[in-house]
Amino acid sequence: MRTLVSSLKKAAFAAVAGLALFSAAPSAQAANLLELNFGLFGPNYEGRVGSCESALWKITYQFKDKEADFWNSSLQFTGFSHVRETAFRPWTSDNIPRRYCSADAMFTDGKQRQVHYSIIEDGGLAGYGDGVEWCVTGLDRNWAYGPKCRAAKF
């Protein structure tokens, strides 16, 4: 009997201590007028994504910069051929519009490799302009897009 009473006292003490902790926390308040989300609108994508050829200059610049800065390499593109679209908005229309493309590229080492890339509407810096994500098969040294640029393809 004595153990039952002492157990009940301990449980009651723990309950009172827990209530005291929670009652000391500030209570939630509704947002004031300036904190409301009025005037904010959801994404308004129009499906205007540049052509596959329009992103090649950006890929060329970014590839040259990445090779020089991260891999200490002077490898560069010398030209592109067989530029083709592989998909446009492949998912539902509610998603961010993307154009998936592939191209054959020649490099300064004399080798030809495939480039897989996507052009993303409003995907540029701070949402301005088209963004480009790309991968060169055989030169994805950190496998950011998986083996053979699998994640960059559609």
Side-chain angles (χ1 to χ4, degrees):
M1 182 75 172
R2 216 177 244 184
T3 58
L4 179 63
V5 171
S6 65
S7 296
L8 287 174
K9 284 182 182 179
K10 289 179 185 176
F13 179 75
V16 169
L19 286 173
L21 284 175
F22 286 116
S23 64
S27 61
Q29 297 176 358
N32 66 31
L33 186 61
L34 297 175
E35 293 173 335
L36 295 175
N37 287 334
F38 61 90
L40 299 178
F41 302 101
N44 190 17
Y45 297 113
E46 298 172 352
R48 292 187 198 166
V49 181
S51 67
C52 291
E53 292 81 9
S54 68
L56 294 178
W57 71 270
K58 190 179 282 190
I59 295 170
T60 302
Y61 173 76
Q62 289 177 355
F63 180 81
K64 177 184 173 187
D65 195 39
K66 181 180 103 171
E67 287 292 307
D69 289 350
F70 297 107
W71 302 109
N72 196 22
S73 168
S74 60
L75 191 61
Q76 295 181 26
F77 289 106
T78 57
F80 295 94
S81 65
H82 198 230
V83 179
R84 60 208 174 273
E85 178 182 305
T86 56
F88 178 69
R89 291 186 102 159
W91 299 289
T92 62
S93 62
D94 293 343
N95 293 330
I96 298 172
R98 294 174 187 247
R99 182 181 311 276
Y100 288 87
C101 306
S102 293
D104 296 330
M106 286 298 295
F107 291 85
T108 53
D109 64 356
K111 294 183 181 178
Q112 181 175 337
R113 298 175 178 94
Q114 282 196 328
V115 180
H116 304 285
Y117 57 100
S118 61
I119 306 167
I120 307 153
E121 182 178 352
D122 296 338
L125 182 65
Y128 293 105
D130 290 341
V132 179
E133 293 181 358
W134 52 270
C135 181
V136 179
T137 304
L139 293 176
D140 186 21
R141 295 181 173 101
N142 60 351
W143 277 28
Y145 291 95
K148 296 182 181 178
C149 298
R150 183 176 49 91
K153 301 176 189 176
F154 173 74

